[in-house]
């Protein structure tokens, strides 16, 4: 894929892991935060692969990239995206947001009123080309390029060309394989399964991830 | 595990696949149907492993087994279970029911009013020890013991001892590994992900299945 990539709300472990593997694939990545200085500090502490570059910026600057990933906490995703909607108009926007809450030893899914966080985001980004991806990945393994990660990334969205572009981007990232599942009708199911993955890892003290065996590629 | 196993609504591909791998593990399995004669015909056409036995019976007879699996279509599961609730009282009951509907090329999840089909069943089986399992498996590969299947089965439920018993049973079945996820709070997420698995297989013309890499056993 051509172009730059911005990650809104990207200073957390999940955003950082995606940034590192995008940089390893040769991309210029902007990690955005509400606080640009904090984003700079976070990036300064990261081991950035020499194939690409990672900068810490304000969310507004991250939203100026060619492709934009939304990686905020679930409860600020809609407000953050809404404020940036003009910058995101017409672009491929990737939601990796999950609405999860901790209950004892488990993370359990919340069910957003429109069925999924991607569905919530679609309402405030009506002209963006929204795709869901990067939901089930173990953050620490994503950040560590030597972790041996070999994970599948389930991709969904209603814009087939955007979905395929995101799948191609994922396939450039080391340790990841894209698996296109289908439309936004599957968004809630993909997002909620993240709660199952995290709960399994808490319970089994593991860093497991989803692999779909038998896809034949 | 000691005891016999009954599969209510077990004449479909999903029920037959579970029955065959239970029989291979040495169990006596009763496949139930509303129509005992039909169940007998279905079982007569199956390649039953010599390690165990499979009989075709009425659902009422399947419900008399020591452990009972509910494998009916989602829209008859609650009514069927409710009618058998006295036979199922106090027993380990495994729900493998998913509420899915076809939309074009996809299967999409329905969201039952109590969050999951296991949750619906719990309301009509209040004294049963309800466990969820066997949701994401490819039916044809389950039925074919030579398919090379090596799948993970996500297990959930509120009764920890029942959950562990079901996990142990799954680990006896060739080609399957149990992965305990947690409580009934995860039921909807596990069930709905079945729609993602089936949709991926339709789209990619595959028979893929979930494997959780990195669990370390």
């Amino acid at each position: 894929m051509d172009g730059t990539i911005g990650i809104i709300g990207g200073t957390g472990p999940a955003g950082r892991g995606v940034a590192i593997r995008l940089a390893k694939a040769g991309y210029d990545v902007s990690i955005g935060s509400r606080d640009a200085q904090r984003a700079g500090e976070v990036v300064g502490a990261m081991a950035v692969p020499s194939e690409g570059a990672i900068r810490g910026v304000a969310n507004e600057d991250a939203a100026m990239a060619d492709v934009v990933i939304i990686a905020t906490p679930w409860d600020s995703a809609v407000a953050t995206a809404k404020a940036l909607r003009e910058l995101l108009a017409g672009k491929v926007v990737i939601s990796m947001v999950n609405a999860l809450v901790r209950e004892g030893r488990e993370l359990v899914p919340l069910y957003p009123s429109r069925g999924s966080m991607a569905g919530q985001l679609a309402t405030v980004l009506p002209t963006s080309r929204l795709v869901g991806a990067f939901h089930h990945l173990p953050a620490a393994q994503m950040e560590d390029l030597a972790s041996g990660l070999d994970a599948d990334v389930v991709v969904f969205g209603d814009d087939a060309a955007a979905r395929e572009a995101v799948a191609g981007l994922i396939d450039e990232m080391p340790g990841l394989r894209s698996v296109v599942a289908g439309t936004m009708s599957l968004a809630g199911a993909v997002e909620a399964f993240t709660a199952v993955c995290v709960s399994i890892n808490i319970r089994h003290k593991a860093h497991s991830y989803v692999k779909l065996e038998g896809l034949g590629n």
Side-chain angles (χ1 to χ4, degrees), chain A residues 10-147:
Chain A
T11 55
R16 294 198 307 265
V18 169
I20 281 189
R21 286 178 190 256
L22 285 167
K24 185 69 181 174
Y27 286 96
D28 279 357
V29 183
S30 297
I31 286 185
S33 168
R34 284 173 298 185
D35 178 347
Q37 187 181 334
R38 177 151 182 282
E41 290 165 7
V42 166
V43 171
M46 289 169 66
V48 178
S50 59
E51 291 83 353
I54 305 181
R55 293 180 309 136
V57 300
N59 279 332
E60 293 71 19
D61 291 318
M64 290 182 203
D66 298 307
V67 169
V68 178
I69 300 171
I70 300 181
T72 64
W74 70 270
D75 49 359
S76 59
V78 171
T80 303
K82 189 173 183 179
L84 301 170
R85 65 190 180 282
E86 287 169 25
L87 291 169
L88 300 177
K91 289 182 186 172
V92 173
V93 174
I94 304 172
S95 170
M96 54 187 285
V97 184
N98 301 296
L100 308 179
V101 288
R102 184 123 190 173
E103 281 185 4
R105 289 177 69 187
E106 298 176 346
L107 258 72
V108 300
L110 296 180
Y111 290 97
S113 54
R114 297 186 190 248
S116 65
M117 288 307 304
Q120 306 284 101
L121 288 169
T123 65
V124 296
L125 301 175
T127 65
S128 297
R129 307 173 68 194
L130 199 65
V131 174
F134 300 122
H135 294 88
H136 304 149
L137 299 169
Q141 277 58 38
M142 281 288 285
E143 274 201 85
D144 176 8
L145 286 169
S147 65

